[in-house]
Amino acid sequence: MELIAAIVGVLLLCLVIPLVWLAVRRVRLMRGGGVDLCLRRRFAVTDWHFGVGRYEGERFAWYRLTSFRIGPTVVMDRADLEIVDRRPPHRSEEFAIPMAVEVLRCRGRDAAGRDVDVELAMSAGVRTGFMAWLESTPPGQGHGFREAS
């Protein structure tokens, strides 16, 4: 009977440790100045992922909420980032992104120089902060805010 209790205890520990890691990771990201937003990379599918976005100087880093990675999932440089399209969430997306008031399709480059196209779903307050961050490029660095026409 003690063997069964030990096995059950080990299995419970194996389930609890990853959940605690995800919770601690999210709190750490949010305390470091993160904002809640959803991101998707494949636009033909409704695979929105919840995550935390952080403004790290000249970079926007997005950390997937259900990932065990220590580093960000997507990183884009402010100088190469442009908003390609803006729209309200489609009715079919409302269940996946309940807090979103606007979806921004963005194009940029990652640290390796590859093109990155993403859609960011965000609330009104997060959108305001994102737009302010894009517009506030220091003089002489990058192109400033760009919105594709």
Side-chain angles (χ1 to χ4, degrees):
M1 201 56 149
E2 289 180 22
L3 180 62
I4 293 174
I7 291 173
V8 169
V10 168
L11 288 176
L12 284 175
L13 190 62
C14 289
L15 290 173
V16 169
I17 288 175
L19 293 176
V20 168
W21 167 252
L22 290 175
V24 167
R25 181 176 176 264
R26 182 183 185 325
V27 168
R28 185 181 57 84
L29 288 171
M30 293 301 287
R31 283 193 179 165
V35 293
D36 285 323
L37 57 96
C38 294
L39 178 139
R40 77 174 175 177
R41 291 187 252 193
R42 294 183 296 259
F43 308 128
V45 199
T46 58
D47 64 350
W48 286 99
H49 300 287
F50 286 98
V52 174
R54 291 183 69 185
Y55 309 107
E56 299 174 345
E58 295 300 310
R59 303 176 335 149
F60 177 75
W62 182 79
Y63 299 80
R64 187 173 175 174
L65 197 58
T66 56
S67 174
F68 292 104
R69 290 177 69 145
I70 293 174
T73 306
V74 175
V75 177
M76 294 190 293
D77 188 20
R78 177 169 37 189
D80 297 322
L81 188 60
E82 67 180 334
I83 298 172
V84 178
D85 188 28
R86 306 167 97 164
R87 64 175 176 81
H90 297 304
R91 195 161 238 359
S92 62
E93 297 172 325
E94 288 177 355
F95 75 94
I97 49 175
M99 84 305 190
V101 252
E102 190 166 42
V103 175
L104 302 176
R105 181 175 280 191
C106 300
R107 182 176 300 132
R109 292 188 186 276
D110 62 9
R114 297 178 300 235
D115 288 336
V116 176
D117 289 333
V118 297
E119 280 188 329
L120 302 170
M122 52 188 74
S123 65
V126 173
R127 179 192 59 209
T128 302
F130 184 75
M131 300 296 281
W133 176 77
L134 273 179
E135 294 171 1
S136 66
T137 303
Q141 295 181 2
H143 314 325
F145 173 66
R146 297 183 305 160
E147 186 165 357
S149 52

